Amino acid sequence: IYTRSLVGSVRCVQETGAYLLHTCNCPYAKVSSEHGELCLMDQVLVSELVGQSCRRIESLAKGGTSCTYLVLENQPVQVSSL
């Protein structure tokens, strides 16, 4: 599955019990290597959008070819109150 969004292309690959989301354009590219909180914010946004917990396994900010998120099925987002 490919889609275009405000942040560029997103590719989704289904694997057994999981999905890999690959994003190849980063709106924060010039500052994310020095401000990891932007990558964390993006990870939280992905979790909220798909309704499942996810883990970033590759990052453009750390020299990867994409920001890749591993989304495991049946791992609902845990929301904590502030």
Side-chain angles (χ1 to χ4, degrees):
I1 298 170
Y2 290 91
T3 185
R4 300 276 305 159
S5 67
L6 293 175
V7 297
S9 297
V10 176
R11 184 169 55 104
C12 179
V13 178
Q14 185 175 10
E15 299 201 348
T16 303
Y19 293 88
L20 292 173
L21 297 178
H22 303 276
T23 60
C24 299
N25 299 341
C26 179
Y28 323 113
K30 294 184 180 183
V31 295
S32 61
S33 62
E34 295 179 20
H35 295 279
E37 62 271 16
L38 293 169
C39 294
L40 179 59
M41 179 185 71
D42 203 43
Q43 182 176 343
V44 169
L45 177 63
V46 169
S47 288
E48 291 292 324
L49 288 173
V50 300
Q52 301 290 319
S53 293
C54 72
R55 182 170 50 103
R56 189 176 50 254
I57 59 174
E58 186 176 4
S59 172
L60 288 165
K62 295 185 177 181
T65 58
S66 68
C67 288
T68 301
Y69 298 93
L70 175 65
V71 181
L72 298 173
E73 294 178 351
N74 302 316
Q75 297 291 319
V77 175
Q78 299 296 319
V79 179
S80 60
S81 59
L82 298 175

